[in-house]
Amino acid sequence: MSPKKDIHDKLSELAGNLWWSWQPDVTAIFREIDPVRWSELSHNPILLLREYPPERLEERAREEMLHSRVNAAYRDWQDYMSSTSTWGDIHAGVLGFRPVAYFSAEFGLHESFRIYSGGLGVLAGDHLKSASDLGIPLVAVGLFYNEGYFKQVVKEDGWQSEEYIHADPADLPMNEVSNPDGSELRIQLETRTGVIHAKVWQMDVGRIPLYLLDTNIDENNDEDRKLTSRLYGGDHRMRIRQELLLGIGGVRALNAVGILPRVIHMNEGHSAFAGLEIIRSRMVNDGLSFHDAHRETQASGVFTTHTPVPAGHDRFDGELVEEHLGPIRDSLGLEYNDLLALGRVDPQNHSESFCMTVLAFKTARRANGVSNLHGIVSRRMWQSLWPWRSEEEVPVGHITNGVHVSTWLAQPMRVFYDRVLPENWSRRSGDPIVFSKFDKVRPTELWETHQSLKNRLILFARHRLLVQAKRNGLSDEQIQATQSTLDPQHLLIGFARRFAPYKRADLVLRDLELFEQLVCDDDRPVQFIFAGKAHPADEQGKQIMQRIFKMTQEKRFRGRVVFLEDYDMKLGRRLVQGVDVWLNNPRRPYEASGTSGQKVVLNGGLNLSVLDGWWAEAYDGLNGFAIGDGQIHANQEIQDQRDADFLMKTLREEVIPLYYTRNDDDLPLKWINKMKRAVRTLGWRFNADRMVMDYVKSAYLPAAGSESCDMRIIP
């Protein structure tokens, strides 16, 4: 009989699976153990429990009366992990024999684990969480970056600097994978210039195992030990070696732990080398020719492209490809140019570089963009791969991104939803019926819930600004002023995303005098919160960010316009949960999807966006605000000015008047009606449960050869 588990044992088990991170009742327990340390430790329960040995934790649990709550959370977790009554058990059970393998260069799972840079990684993390909730047989593969993505520090002059923080695996919910005999599991990759070795970690995301490869081991030389140090760091040589490890190494790691995937899902082109390893293994194990193995591999491949910007697609010269893929080329029996042809749009053009996106298209039968508009853009962008087809016939579809509701929904709003939505709504949040009567909710309740979240955001922002001001050595007067920054009664607009030039973070500043009129209006003032990171090598992005930061320091804008540094998942949650309006103004059509605005909708905020990405298929004229009419001018400078004019016009004539028009109870009823319509029309469509179900039905099951019906038309 196993010994009885105490409260420390149970909380340690909960901390060892990231399921806790999207369970508000569990996060509340960790927070109440020590609210100050919980915040200081980036919400990492493993570090928190290390400071609370069993005796001390027991004492704290008695003080806060936590025992019954811990027992309930532990039972809920056990029930969750053992349940077979899931959507996936009914609709995707056939994948249980051989699961889907989901490859991604980054995963945004929680702020305590910095192996993500932005939207791509957060989308991947949400994909895993919804796959877990739905019970989809899926495993995931990535890399363990022990320094992760950088921590942003903004100096007094507004210039971004980057700090890298080493992550100790012992501080994270991950375990090293061993061979069946208990020895350390190692995989290796042969290149023309040596062998790269890697160990494998396992991190559990609910029901989904995530395998992370790590080259920081003694078997490697110094160069290769640093291979998995940083996300998106280094030169082309480091990038191709990371992608070799992710794709080929990832497949070998899965095989080493006894997993033979039925479907390979490549989330962006970084993992496209996976297809080559599967082809090689089919040739070795099943005696297939390259042609037959390639055809079989294509049939089981799914590729999601996220990048409508040409510079976002990795390209390598032939010598670099040969150095790293030469040994596998030998195994495939291909000539030098035959291998390179797999990564070229024109196989006969020997001067064309090797493109990972092209390789992904050529090793997957099913490919998709991440919004309706992005599907159109992708077909146009890659039509030359299928020159015999018209643009409409190019085999690239779309599955629009969504967000994981439980990760991004604020707890007060969840409590509100529990009162007004059908029972167990969170288990079927992708069903339109769940939100169909949301327009009937009491406006007072919705508004008060939103206002409480807005107040919480403002307090959070003030604390961040206080810390930043002290570090930069500002005067006592300036430090004190941070505590009166932003007014909860005034309209609050948020802008937070990567500071890439095409996202135009400074579009609203194009006419600074007009911007000042909006911000400093005595009767109807507007406030702005900016946040975001520029890539370390993006000087133009850093300059845009510096301009915005310096503007926030001007006396006329101080306290009304702020920049919050180190945009991560923690800051992102606070922003999307508390702003009145979410501003998004990229150059159309360069926003593949965008998901931050979807998170805002769930929390009662409204979108003010260019008709790009997801918003182009979401906006109905009543559930938010649009910048422009969706038309694009051939001259980029003219388009930028046109969008800036549209933005200001929409703010002055629609957004601001609607927000400040109040009834006798000081409620903006027409504004609240927009909030209700946004939740009712968008809440079910743009969440990750619907997205993952779409992938299962339209990609995974067909790729697994598991459709019960597929009628073809005889031409």
Side-chain angles (χ1 to χ4, degrees), residues 86 193 203 216 251 299 305 328 346 365 367 512 544 578 620:
T86 64
T193 53
M203 174 177 283
N216 187 24
V251 173
T305 176
I328 200 168
D346 179 1
R365 187 68 54 79
L512 204 55
I544 294 171
D620 67 1

Side-chain angles (χ1 to χ4, degrees), residues 27-95:
T27 56
I29 292 171
F30 288 127
R31 183 187 308 111
E32 290 171 32
I33 291 171
D34 192 330
V36 174
R37 290 300 289 152
W38 177 245
S39 178
E40 293 173 345
L41 295 170
S42 295
H43 303 159
N44 185 330
I46 292 176
L47 294 179
L48 180 70
L49 293 174
R50 192 174 293 163
E51 297 183 1
Y52 278 80
E55 298 79 9
R56 187 184 180 198
L57 181 63
E58 180 66 34
E59 180 182 352
R60 183 62 178 156
R62 283 198 300 270
E63 292 173 354
E64 296 296 322
M65 295 181 289
L66 297 178
H67 286 87
S68 61
R69 292 166 60 190
V70 171
N71 290 334
Y74 188 74
R75 286 193 301 270
D76 288 345
W77 175 60
Q78 289 184 311
D79 291 344
Y80 177 92
M81 295 298 292
S82 61
S83 175
T84 56
S85 301
T86 64
W87 185 90
D89 189 56
I90 296 171
H91 298 279
V94 67
L95 298 172

Side-chain angles (χ1 to χ4, degrees), residues 114-131:
R114 288 177 176 261
I115 62 166
Y116 66 96
S117 69
L120 178 69
V122 172
L123 183 279
D126 282 7
H127 193 108
L128 299 195
K129 292 171 184 176
S130 275

